[in-house]
């Protein structure tokens, strides 16, 4: 079951875009969406509220 997540911030870096979100249960998540098509990196995903990162 997926909970609603809220984007807290989005930052462009030399590596790509870093997105901080808060899951519906309150847990923080950080996603790095790299430039150049590399595989996204995630830290802190909630196993109960897992929502794929938004691109862009």
């Amino acid at each position: 079951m997926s909970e609603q997540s809220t984007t807290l911030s989005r930052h462009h870096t030399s590596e790509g875009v870093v997105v901080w979100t808060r899951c519906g249960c309150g847990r923080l998540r950080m996603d790095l969406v790299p430039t150049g098509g590399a595989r996204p990196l995630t830290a802190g995903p909630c196993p109960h509220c897992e929502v794929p990162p938004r691109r862009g």
Side-chain angles (χ1 to χ4, degrees):
M1 176 202 259
S2 288
E3 297 280 336
Q4 178 78 21
S5 66
T6 303
T7 300
L8 302 174
S9 65
R10 183 180 307 267
H11 307 278
H12 292 273
T13 70
S14 61
E15 297 293 322
V17 179
V18 174
V19 181
W20 285 93
T21 57
R22 185 171 303 276
C23 152
C25 71
R27 189 170 181 160
L28 284 173
R29 173 180 169 145
M30 187 280 306
D31 292 289
L32 170 63
V33 183
T35 55
R39 190 168 156 187
L41 302 173
T42 300
C46 179
H48 304 290
C49 304
E50 184 71 27
V51 176
R54 294 181 195 163
R55 298 219 174 233

